[in-house]
Amino acid sequence: MEYFNAIGEGLLSALVSIRDKLRRGKKLEKWEQEYYRKNKERVDLKTRYSAEELAEQERLKKLLGE
């Protein structure tokens, strides 16, 4: 945590702060809302699935008829 606090203000700290607020369901400040709207692809983390997870998803879809 000390390393993060030592970073100061910048892109990384803004991203982490916005992600944390979104995760906790807190309201974003105006500048954060604007930044999030313009940089949603940077802020949102992409879910990556392993090969086993993808295979299981496909198996379940077949069982459910999707």
Side-chain angles (χ1 to χ4, degrees), residues 4-66:
F4 176 72
N5 288 334
I7 293 173
E9 303 242 349
L11 177 61
L12 179 61
S13 63
L15 286 174
V16 173
S17 175
I18 292 170
R19 286 176 183 163
D20 184 54
K21 284 184 177 183
L22 290 171
R23 185 180 63 83
R24 294 174 187 246
K26 292 186 176 182
K27 186 173 180 171
L28 298 177
E29 295 178 26
K30 285 202 178 245
W31 73 268
E32 292 170 324
Q33 291 172 359
E34 183 178 339
Y35 184 86
Y36 181 60
R37 188 173 37 79
K38 290 181 179 177
N39 298 287
K40 191 171 178 129
E41 68 282 347
R42 283 186 173 179
V43 177
D44 292 340
L45 296 174
K46 297 176 184 143
T47 303
R48 296 184 182 166
Y49 296 105
S50 67
E52 294 83 18
E53 290 170 320
L54 291 171
E56 180 65 10
Q57 287 178 5
E58 288 301 317
R59 185 184 74 79
L60 291 172
K61 285 179 183 177
K62 287 179 185 176
L63 284 174
L64 296 172
E66 292 183 18

